[in-house]
Amino acid sequence: MQFRKFAGLLALTTCLAWSAAAEAKTLVFCSEASPEGWQPAFYTSGTTFDAVSRTIYNRLVEFEHGGTTLQPGLAEKWEISPDGKEYTFHLRKGVKFQSSDKFTPSRDLNADDVVYTFNRQLKKDDPFHNVSNGSYEYFEAMSMPAILKEVVKVDDNTVKFVLNEPNAPFLADLGMDFASIQSKEYADAMLKAGTPEVIDQEPVGTGPFQLVAYQKDAVIRYKAFPDYWAGKQPIDDLIFAITPDASIRAEKVKAGECNVMPYPNPADIAGLKADANLKVLQQEGLNIGYLAYNTTQKPFDDARVRRALNMAMNKKAIIDAVYPGVGQVAKNPIPPTMWSYDEATIDDPYDPEGAKKLLDEAGVKDLTVKLWAMPVSRPYNPNGRRMAELLQADFAKIGVKAEIVSFEWGEYLKRAGDKNHEGIVMLGWTGDNGDPDNFLGALLTCDGVGTSNNVAEFCYQPFEELIKKARTTSDVAERTKLYQEAQKVFKEQAPWATIAHSLVTVPTTKNVVGFKMDPLGIHRFDGVDIQE
């Protein structure tokens, strides 16, 4: 998508500091890739969340800036029924929607917008459900169709969510990106015009920034929304300079061509810390980097084969080469910073001879696999190509030939979401809401099969039952016990090879004020300023 307003902005790709002389305050973020699209309910990538849902939209509840504590968002307050099956939200009054070339809102946010946002995802007969041929991957992977019975408009400023059963993570789930509230009036206007797909191409939200222009793989320009309900932002113009190469991002932030950069190469961090003009923020990530086996495809439908490949991996060597100084070996599918992490787990040993014996036991010989290499850098995997090369060499030692493949990031995720995909998919995850269900439930249960969340296509009833039971109780001790048991089942079945957890690093120029690292891996620019 490219808006006509964009003509002349292409110069930003070669000279991003042009705004320094202007009176308006401009912040440049060297983002790592283009967003997959502009409808947050369709996607699961942090790249898209940064560019779309956390700039343009809001949710009923929001996570505190730099934390996982829930705060009022578009809802001022809420009540939960004693049986845990009804959540009633009281909407903030006077919230304005943005406008576009094709739409000018005639009213403020009301309950119709909330009902529309969720019914589009929940109801297959909703007139907008199939618009843009979108797939509601997160909504489905979080088991929302089974959890959510209905969304009811009580009055213009009150909405009730009725659940089929109590669900402990539900409130935190509503702070996630798929729950970004959108304008029903805009949707209806575009449907009447015969162009309903426009709502997914030219976003209109209630958030702190408004989209001005976009050139794929080059630049996104936003302006502060003057009528934002929480007040106009200190930054007047926000620019995403799309810069896939981490080394080039580092050079740009050193040169002052961008003010904030994500995902530096581990090898570049020392140099960034040594630069007197920069601040380098760092914290433990709520993340996991892993390899997923398609458990529905031979020979990966045999847990012995999966465990054999796990035993062939020299994870210590991978950490040293790919995560120097910022990674630790992962043994569980959730990070050690997450409550309910099972310290008692014993990791797969590095044992090539034992791996060969398991393959023999499974009757597998002359195995050739496709090994997917991530094309983008993430804290949970700073260098997918390098990791793939190391794994290729490890697999060769047990007689397994690995063909390394990769795709553009959006295409990579799309293909990984095909339940018939072949091979071993390299991926990772940063938690979205601080709850273990966001890892164990979203990534490893039956509802996520056929999406880019559960790329292992793992649907194993003993595991499934533990996760479902954990969702229906609010007793943290009981939930912890169930999640730890689920981690034991995970380790036995080995749908993934767990590779690493990592530190997260964000360099900024020293004139950036108010930027906070987010444990959920999001880069937010509301409340951020540039010192003169």
Side-chain angles (χ1 to χ4, degrees):
M1 175 184 64
Q2 179 178 352
F3 297 139
R4 292 177 183 173
K5 294 179 184 177
F6 193 78
L9 286 177
L10 294 181
L12 289 171
T13 61
T14 54
C15 185
L16 293 170
W18 63 273
S19 60
E23 291 183 9
K25 287 187 179 181
T26 300
L27 185 145
V28 180
F29 174 58
C30 276
S31 63
E32 78 286 2
S34 296
E36 299 154 272
W38 295 95
Q39 168 53 265
F42 289 170
Y43 306 108
T44 62
S45 166
T47 302
T48 300
F49 296 164
D50 284 350
V52 184
S53 45
R54 300 295 164 164
T55 48
I56 297 167
Y57 292 103
N58 295 115
R59 288 135 296 277
L60 293 173
V61 295
E62 300 282 7
F63 295 107
E64 67 176 335
H65 216 307
T68 59
T69 301
L70 286 172
Q71 298 178 332
L74 296 179
E76 287 186 308
K77 59 182 180 178
W78 55 87
E79 299 98 33
I80 305 172
S81 64
D83 66 359
K85 293 171 68 173
E86 293 186 357
Y87 288 68
T88 302
F89 293 90
H90 303 274
L91 302 183
R92 193 180 298 276
K93 295 180 181 178
V95 173
K96 309 295 183 186
F97 275 101
Q98 302 158 5
S99 59
S100 73
D101 289 345
K102 297 181 176 67
F103 171 72
T104 301
S106 68
R107 61 164 176 80
D108 295 343
L109 169 86
N110 69 26
D112 292 329
D113 303 307
V114 179
V115 173
Y116 155 71
T117 296
F118 287 91
N119 276 353
R120 178 180 182 181
Q121 301 179 68
L122 178 65
K123 295 186 175 182
K124 293 184 178 180
D125 62 351
D126 186 275
F128 295 96
H129 185 80
N130 294 317
V131 168
S132 305
N133 297 313
S135 173
Y136 305 100
E137 292 192 8
Y138 229 137
F139 190 81
E140 292 169 5
M142 298 295 289
S143 302
M144 284 294 158
I147 293 166
L148 195 54
K149 183 177 181 180
E150 60 180 341
V151 184
V152 180
K153 175 181 178 179
V154 178
D155 58 41
D156 277 353
N157 297 298
T158 312
V159 183
K160 181 184 292 185
F161 289 72
V162 183
L163 279 53
N164 287 307
E165 61 184 11
N167 184 268
F170 182 72
L171 190 62
D173 291 347
L174 294 186
M176 291 165 55
D177 300 81
F178 74 85
S180 298
I181 303 303
Q182 300 173 44
S183 168
K184 184 179 189 301
E185 186 184 20
Y186 180 34
D188 288 342
M190 294 303 100
L191 184 64
K192 184 177 180 180
T195 55
E197 67 282 352
V198 167
I199 62 175
D200 302 322
Q201 299 167 353
E202 301 181 25
V204 166
T206 61
F209 296 98
Q210 186 168 352
L211 183 64
V212 173
Y214 169 50
Q215 175 67 32
K216 183 176 172 61
D217 297 332
V219 68
I220 313 170
R221 183 183 174 189
Y222 309 84
K223 66 179 180 181
F225 180 35
D227 296 321
Y228 182 47
W229 58 268
K232 181 189 171 295
Q233 296 304 298
I235 299 167
D236 298 293
D237 296 299
L238 174 64
I239 295 169
F240 279 35
I242 299 165
T243 312
D245 189 294
S247 296
I248 294 175
R249 292 199 299 274
E251 290 305 313
K252 284 185 175 182
V253 77
K254 285 180 179 180
E257 293 180 4
C258 48
N259 304 102
V260 181
M261 70 159 287
Y263 317 132
N265 287 323
D268 292 336
I269 291 173
L272 290 163
K273 286 182 175 180
D275 193 317
N277 295 315
L278 301 180
K279 295 182 286 188
V280 179
L281 310 177
Q282 210 165 34
Q283 69 181 21
E284 289 285 346
L286 196 68
N287 62 31
I288 173 73
Y290 62 88
L291 300 173
Y293 306 106
N294 188 336
T295 58
T296 68
Q297 303 289 320
K298 291 185 177 299
F300 304 124
D301 58 343
D302 189 330
R304 293 173 297 183
V305 175
R306 303 192 295 264
R307 290 198 304 272
L309 292 174
N310 285 0
M311 291 165 63
M313 299 176 194
N314 187 344
K315 292 199 285 188
K316 176 63 167 60
I318 291 172
I319 296 296
D320 291 344
V322 179
Y323 305 81
V326 297
Q328 61 175 298
V329 169
K331 62 181 182 179
N332 286 319
I334 63 175
T337 48
M338 173 71 74
W339 63 271
S340 81
Y341 179 83
D342 189 6
E343 293 283 1
T345 297
I346 298 173
D347 199 14
D348 304 300
Y350 173 51
D351 183 2
E353 292 306 313
K356 290 178 185 177
K357 290 177 183 177
L358 267 181
L359 289 178
D360 287 342
E361 184 182 317
V364 173
K365 295 181 180 180
D366 301 320
L367 178 60
T368 298
V369 301
K370 288 186 177 179
L371 177 58
W372 296 34
M374 277 179 55
V376 296
S377 173
R378 289 287 188 274
Y380 55 70
N381 191 336
N383 191 331
R385 173 61 62 168
R386 179 63 177 139
M387 183 185 291
E389 291 167 350
L390 293 168
L391 290 166
Q392 185 182 50
D394 285 343
F395 291 158
K397 292 174 184 176
I398 64 166
V400 174
K401 182 179 179 180
E403 175 194 353
I404 299 174
V405 300
S406 192
F407 314 96
E408 180 272 330
W409 185 227
E411 182 67 16
Y412 188 100
L413 293 173
K414 180 181 178 181
R415 291 185 182 222
D418 181 345
K419 66 181 180 180
N420 295 314
H421 69 78
E422 295 182 0
I424 306 170
V425 178
M426 183 185 298
L427 265 179
W429 191 258
T430 297
D432 292 294
N433 64 12
D435 194 290
D437 183 76
N438 183 242
F439 286 78
L440 301 173
L443 304 181
L444 290 160
T445 54
C446 301
D447 287 332
V449 169
T451 74
S452 62
N453 283 357
N454 187 352
V455 296
E457 313 304 334
F458 185 63
C459 182
Y460 185 64
Q461 286 309 309
F463 184 90
E464 189 84 4
E465 290 166 10
L466 289 165
I467 302 305
K468 285 185 175 179
K469 189 173 181 181
R471 286 172 173 166
T472 59
T473 178
S474 58
D475 185 321
V476 174
E478 178 64 15
R479 293 185 76 202
T480 295
K481 180 180 176 182
L482 292 164
Y483 288 137
Q484 289 183 341
E485 183 61 31
Q487 288 168 75
K488 290 180 174 63
V489 175
F490 167 90
K491 209 64 184 178
E492 293 165 1
Q493 292 300 309
W496 297 350
T498 53
I499 302 295
H501 310 293
S502 75
L503 287 172
V504 180
T505 306
V506 181
T508 77
T509 52
K510 278 199 168 177
N511 61 344
V512 174
V513 178
F515 180 85
K516 294 182 180 180
M517 291 193 70
D518 195 313
L520 305 178
I522 299 298
H523 301 89
R524 289 176 54 178
F525 299 101
D526 52 312
V528 180
D529 199 356
I530 295 287
Q531 286 181 332
E532 297 295 338

